[in-house]
């Protein structure tokens, strides 16, 4: 069997972390099995679907490295296929026109509630005569199309993650609507369950791997496959992702879209790695850092947990830092540029690349998220630095004025400082003024960076020197002591 899997997002919002994680599992499964990974955009809800969400979804999947083999297919371009299927179901007696109004359905629900019964459609129009249909139409009612659900049926499937699942036909809410209300001549807008089944059949999907919130739909869909004469695919329902307080991760958690994680400074390899661990355990469970390609080698659905996965920010941060720390400076630089530009820094990558790469290499070991680079490199991109209270206090110490004056003189003597020049200069000034090296270094740091702690001082100084920022800062500091 050729494995063909799909991710089928609805473009009614940005790419959600839950959908992205399901996409990761689909991608891994396809790669592990040498199969195909397909994207289908489920945009039949015209009122809520937007092209910018489709773009966000495609960008998010591509950013994560989840490249697709086919698609995206758009359901909005395939309506004729769904209508054909609805017509077939009507013709073969699996479906019928139902004229019950919203009001009547509400009344039904209310009376069921009053009797403590679960709400369900009572199949009242299952066997209308052509005359009865005509009479309803004469009243101006427009029918929906309902698919017959046999209450006595037991629907079973062996879920690759959850094991044997069984649903009673009587628990599916009565005959289900598969197409919205419309005139008799034009079949109405087909609904989700119908469209999914038609597409999964047409696209020869072998395994449907999707969120566990679709389990009840699966039971309904199996009945549709049977009626349409399709082969029922295998199913695997992935566990939910919970927030740190154990509730379903939702919009209220603020960061639910993959693009939010990008903005927060997570790198794609780390996100993909972390999402793989949201529900899946590698055979060597001590192994936590791997690329998607590496995970694909060992990925099987039986190692996906049934239990909900808890979103753990500190773990994601740790994984992110690991990827940042081992990344080539050239690549890390490319990733930092948009954050710097957003902060208004004049980056000028084209003319500044070697210097920017050195700045990147300097700060890389202390980054957990890319966003932190903005603050950590501010002093390299701004003409002046503000001295914080500690830096000011440092510069008020005895002897500092003379020390900074001498360093400033020394800097003027060099066109560009080498590391050796800088070391010599510190040594010479220390000796000349009979002070401790620590005093020279701390004061230099205060004057150059505006702080008393930070990245390697010598490297920072040399980088500032290359941009001729050191001497003016030393002079500015002198004017304050
Ligand atoms: N459009 C559905 C969703 O976004 C897809 C469900 C499925 O994979 O069948 O939840």
């Amino acid at each position: 069997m050729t494995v063909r899997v799909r991710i089928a997002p609805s473009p009614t919002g940005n790419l959600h972390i839950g959908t992205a994680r399901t996409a990761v599992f689909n991608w891994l499964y396809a790669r592990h099995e040498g199969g195909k990974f397909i994207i289908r955009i489920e945009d039949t809800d015209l009122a809520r679907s937007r092209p910018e969400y489709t773009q966000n979804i495609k960008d998010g999947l591509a950013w994560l490295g989840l490249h697709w083999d086919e698609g995206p297919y758009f359901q909005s371009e395939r309506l004729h296929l769904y209508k054909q299927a609805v017509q077939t179901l009507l013709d073969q007696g699996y479906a019928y026109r139902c004229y019950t109004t919203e009001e009547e359905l509400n009344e039904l629900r209310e009376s069921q509630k009053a009797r403590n019964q679960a709400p369900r459609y009572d199949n009242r129009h299952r066997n209308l005569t052509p005359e009865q249909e005509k009479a309803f139409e004469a009243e101006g009612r427009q029918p929906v199309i309902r698919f017959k659900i046999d209450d006595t049926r037991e629907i079973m499937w062996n879920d690759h993650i959850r094991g044997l699942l069984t649903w009673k036909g009587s628990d599916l809410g009565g005959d289900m609507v598969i197409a919205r209300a419309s005139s008799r001549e034009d079949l109405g807008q087909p609904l989700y369950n119908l469209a999914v089944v038609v597409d999964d059949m047409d696209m020869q999907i072998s395994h449907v791997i999707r969120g566990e919130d679709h389990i009840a739909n699966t039971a309904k869909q199996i009945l549709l496959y049977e009626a349409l004469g399709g082969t029922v695919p295998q199913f695997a329902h992935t566990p939910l992702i919970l927030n740190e307080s154990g509730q379903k991760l939702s919009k209220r958690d603020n960061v639910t879209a993959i693009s939010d994680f990008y903005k927060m400074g997570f790198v794609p390899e780390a996100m993909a790695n972390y999402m793989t661990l949201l529900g899946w355990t590698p055979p060597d469970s001590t192994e936590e850092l791997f690329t998607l390609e590496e995970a694909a080698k060992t990925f099987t659905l039986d190692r996906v947990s049934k239990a909900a996965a808890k979103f753990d920010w500190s773990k994601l941060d740790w994984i992110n830092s690991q990827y940042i720390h081992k990344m080539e400076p050239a690549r890390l630089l490319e990733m930092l540029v948009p954050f710097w530009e957003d902060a208004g820094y004049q980056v000028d990558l084209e003319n500044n690349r070697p210097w920017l790469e050195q700045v990147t290499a300097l700060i890389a070991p202390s980054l957990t998220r890319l966003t932190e680079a903005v603050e950590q490199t501010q002093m390299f991109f701004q003409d002046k630095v503000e001295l914080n209270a500690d830096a000011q206090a440092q510069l008020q110490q005895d002897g500092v004025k003379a020390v900074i004056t001498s360093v400033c003189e020394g800097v003027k003597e060099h066109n560009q400082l080498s590391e050796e020049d800088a070391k010599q200069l510190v040594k010479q000034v220390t000796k000349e003024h009979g002070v401790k090296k620590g005093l020279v270094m701390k004061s230099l740091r205060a004057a150059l960076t505006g702080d008393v702690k930070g990245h390697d001082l010598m490297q920072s100084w040399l980088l500032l020197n290359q941009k001729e920022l050191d001497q003016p800062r030393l002079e500015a500091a002198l004017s304050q002591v």
Side-chain angles (χ1 to χ4, degrees), residues 397-412:
Q397 300 222 359
D398 285 349
V400 169
K401 189 167 187 170
V403 162
I404 300 282
T405 308
S406 296
V407 176
C408 206
E409 293 300 314
V411 169
K412 279 185 205 159

Side-chain angles (χ1 to χ4, degrees), residues 205-313:
I205 299 302
S206 62
H207 294 72
V208 171
I209 305 169
R210 62 180 167 203
E212 67 171 32
D213 43 333
H214 284 288
I215 287 179
N217 287 327
T218 298
K220 295 177 183 170
Q221 290 174 15
I222 288 175
L223 298 176
L224 281 167
Y225 281 105
E226 290 173 1
L228 290 167
T231 311
V232 180
Q234 316 252 334
F235 291 97
H237 287 92
T238 58
L240 291 178
I241 304 175
L242 304 180
N243 66 18
E244 287 184 320
S245 29
Q247 292 141 342
K248 190 176 164 185
L249 201 66
S250 74
K251 292 228 164 74
R252 263 164 283 142
D253 295 294
N254 286 329
V255 280
T256 50
I258 290 302
S259 43
D260 294 331
F261 288 93
Y262 164 77
K263 286 186 211 136
M264 289 173 79
F266 292 102
V267 302
E269 298 92 323
M271 265 326 277
N273 187 153
Y274 179 63
M275 283 194 290
T276 306
L277 290 169
L278 274 177
W280 180 69
T281 317
D284 172 2
S285 60
T286 58
E287 193 54 72
E288 295 196 301
L289 295 174
F290 38 72
T291 62
L292 284 173
E293 282 73 18
E294 284 161 357
K297 290 194 186 119
T298 55
F299 185 85
T300 49
L301 291 167
D302 59 351
R303 300 196 64 83
V304 176
S305 158
K306 276 201 262 268
K310 214 172 211 181
F311 200 88
D312 180 348
W313 284 98

Side-chain angles (χ1 to χ4, degrees), residues 6 8-10 40 42 192 196 200 208-210 213-214 221:
R6 84 308 191 267
S10 305
R40 183 169 75 225
E42 304 209 319
Y192 163 73
V196 164
D200 285 342
V208 171
I209 305 169
R210 62 180 167 203
D213 43 333
H214 284 288
Q221 290 174 15

